[in-house]
């Protein structure tokens, strides 16, 4: 009898364990099934006016804060060949408050370009998705199609929350797209993403130290015309203006005398000197590429793009809050992404809860940005010691975050030179100049403005391929 009771107890225990196991398996399978369904719901069959392509596209939302209702919009364009073997690259634009869909995806590194009437798309011959899977993120909430249900979020955004939300986005996005877990991962961006990119890299490194089996396999980052250090960036910017004959000797001296670049706020004499330079001496040029012709097309009166541009430039010396800008192509994006059929195809604004038009930049975010590090140079030092691959590049015709600004800032890292300054080549021509340091590679791109891949797509592509391969830029 005792033996029978023991056998019965063991049988019931076994039955209980099997039931629990099956329940857990069923729950896990259900969870996987739900994530797979979410992924497929994000699949883009085709965008309006899009040429046929062989690669897959996905776009949609990932909630990063349930309580506030913050959700970030992404657009994934997988590699045009062997996507399962290619790395994942996250692209971020700056502002703060400007769209990676408007800039990075639509006029720089993405596979499509928008035609002049915003009626169709055409292929970008030098799209970076030839070498990697590209993930464009509209960040923070309030940029582009990304939104928040808490209006105060729009007036208290800053560097720290942007990085934290981006980390949460990546973790949740990779759960939806498990094929990218542990995949070789890089971050790329430009302009004020000179803050976003290294700041996100740092919190990923910190996160990975605490979680030994982290799904984010960060290998490095690459940034262009990057806001780096308020003081050195400002000195370098004024130096660029003067050495490129954009301002007079008198104005140059006046700015140096009246502007305290180490202060958080500008004084009226400093504002007056900078205002005089921009409005009396610059002339009607594209300050993001000083030798390029300006666009004569006026953007529609129902957006604030020109106001934003003026404000960004006015504040450019002491508060480096600028983003990529091309006056013509930006207007095509604003027309295209406000089309209802485009939004439907991209699963954007699905509930119609965004009460404003899609714009390339958010003036609310730009005006109300709260925390902004004066310098990310300490972050660079941390990430260099962490062993990440770090490349910084600069288009040499940009006067907003110019090459001199970047060189002044990076020089204060006091890095050891591994390969001395030399010209690198693309298509038989000098593509720019580069110097390789222990822990960082710096490169210029000849003839490129603030948005390097827009002005020099082939040279930018060579740069990107070299970065991914971990090889020095070609010497011949």
């Amino acid at each position: 009898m005792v033996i029978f009771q023991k056998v019965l107890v063991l049988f019931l225990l076994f039955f209980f364990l099997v039931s629990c196991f099956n329940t857990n398996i069923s729950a896990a399978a259900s969870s996987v099934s739900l994530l797979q369904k979410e992924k497929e719901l994000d699949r883009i069959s085709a965008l309006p006016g899009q040429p046929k392509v062989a690669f897959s596209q996905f776009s949609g939302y990932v909630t990063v804060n349930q309580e506030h209702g913050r959700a970030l919009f992404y657009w994934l364009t997988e590699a045009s060949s062997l996507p399962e073997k290619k790395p994942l690259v996250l692209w971020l634009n700056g502002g703060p408050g400007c769209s990676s869909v408007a800039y990075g995806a639509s006029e720089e590194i993405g596979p499509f370009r928008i035609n002049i009437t915003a009626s169709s798309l055409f292929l970008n011959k030098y799209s970076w998705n030839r070498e990697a899977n590209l993930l464009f993120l509209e960040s923070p909430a309030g940029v582009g199609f990304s939104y928040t249900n808490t209006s105060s979020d729009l007036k208290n955004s800053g560097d720290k929350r942007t990085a934290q939300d981006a980390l949460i986005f990546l973790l949740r996005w990779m759960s939806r797209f498990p094929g990218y877990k542990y995949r070789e991962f890089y971050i790329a961006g430009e302009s004020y993403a000179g803050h976003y990119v290294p700041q996100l890299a740092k919190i990923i490194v910190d996160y990975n130290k605490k979680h030994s089996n982290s799904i984010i396999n960060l290998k490095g980052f690459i940034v262009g015309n990057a806001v780096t250090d308020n003081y050195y960036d400002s000195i370098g910017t004024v130096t660029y203006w003067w050495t490129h004959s954009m301002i007079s000797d008198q104005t140059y001296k006046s700015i140096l005398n009246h502007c305290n670049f180490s202060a958080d706020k500008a004084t009226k004499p400093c504002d007056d000197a900078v205002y005089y330079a921009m409005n009396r001496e610059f002339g009607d040029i594209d300050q993001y590429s000083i030798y390029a012709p300006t666009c004569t097309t006026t953007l529609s009166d129902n957006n604030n793009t020109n106001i934003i541009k003026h404000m960004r430039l006015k504040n450019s010396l002491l508060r480096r809050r600028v983003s990529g800008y091309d006056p013509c192509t930006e207007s095509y994006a604003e027309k295209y992404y406000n089309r209802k059929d485009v939004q439907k195809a991209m699963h954007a604004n699905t509930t119609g809860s965004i009460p404003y038009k899609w714009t390339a930049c958010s003036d609310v975010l730009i005006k109300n940005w709260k925390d902004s590090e004066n310098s990310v140079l300490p972050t660079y030092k941390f990430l260099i010691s962490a062993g990440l691959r770090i490349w910084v590049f600069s288009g040499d015709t940009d006067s907003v975050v110019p090459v001199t600004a970047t060189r002044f800032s990076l020089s204060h890292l006091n890095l050891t030179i591994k390969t001395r300054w030399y010209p690198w080549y693309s298509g038989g021509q000098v593509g720019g100049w580069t110097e390789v340091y222990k822990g960082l590679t710096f490169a210029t791109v000849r003839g490129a403005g603030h948005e390097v891949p827009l002005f020099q797509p082939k040279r930018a592509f060579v740069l990107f391929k070299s970065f991914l391969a971990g090889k020095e830029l070609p010497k011949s």
Side-chain angles (χ1 to χ4, degrees), residues 19-36:
S19 297
C20 289
F21 180 75
N22 288 336
T23 300
N24 290 335
I25 290 291
S26 178
S30 176
S31 177
V32 169
S33 176
L34 181 61
L35 290 171
Q36 184 65 25

Side-chain angles (χ1 to χ4, degrees), residues 94-114:
C98 292
S99 164
S100 297
V101 169
Y103 297 106
S106 300
E107 58 185 49
E108 296 187 79
I109 69 168
F112 303 119
R113 294 285 181 268
I114 304 169

Side-chain angles (χ1 to χ4, degrees), residues 183-250:
R183 183 81 65 93
E184 198 171 281
F185 175 64
Y186 299 92
I187 314 173
E190 70 188 10
S191 196
Y192 196 81
H195 279 213
Y196 294 163
V197 172
Q199 287 167 348
L200 176 56
K202 184 181 185 301
I203 68 166
I204 290 174
V205 170
D206 289 339
Y207 178 87
N208 287 351
K209 285 180 180 177
K210 297 175 183 177
H211 302 81
S212 58
N213 196 32
S214 172
I215 60 176
I216 305 176
N217 183 19
L218 178 64
K219 294 296 186 182
F221 66 85
I222 180 169
V223 287
N225 292 76
V227 176
T228 306
D229 180 281
N230 284 358
Y231 180 79
Y232 300 123
D233 283 358
S234 297
I235 295 290
T237 299
V238 178
T239 300
Y240 186 92
W241 294 351
W242 181 65
T243 56
H244 287 72
S245 305
M246 296 171 64
I247 60 174
S248 64
D249 293 355
Q250 183 178 356

Side-chain angles (χ1 to χ4, degrees), residues 7 84 235 240 314 342 416 429:
V7 170
E84 68 282 355
I235 295 290
Y240 186 92
K314 181 177 180 292
V342 172
T416 302
Q429 299 291 324

Side-chain angles (χ1 to χ4, degrees), residues 124-191:
N124 170 22
K125 181 179 178 182
Y126 295 106
S127 173
W128 288 10
N129 84 323
R130 289 169 55 183
E131 297 295 321
N133 300 283
L134 302 180
L135 179 59
F136 299 98
L137 179 64
E138 295 203 297
S139 174
V143 173
F145 292 125
S146 294
Y147 67 87
T148 176
N149 293 329
T150 305
S151 58
S152 60
D153 282 348
L154 301 176
K155 295 186 177 181
N156 58 24
S157 287
D159 285 10
K160 290 181 181 178
R161 194 173 73 200
T162 298
Q164 290 166 353
D165 280 0
L167 173 61
I168 294 169
F169 165 83
L170 284 171
L171 292 169
R172 294 181 178 176
W173 184 87
M174 286 183 179
S175 293
R176 189 181 301 180
F177 289 80
Y180 289 101
K181 289 181 178 180
Y182 315 110
R183 183 81 65 93
E184 198 171 281
F185 175 64
Y186 299 92
I187 314 173
E190 70 188 10
S191 196

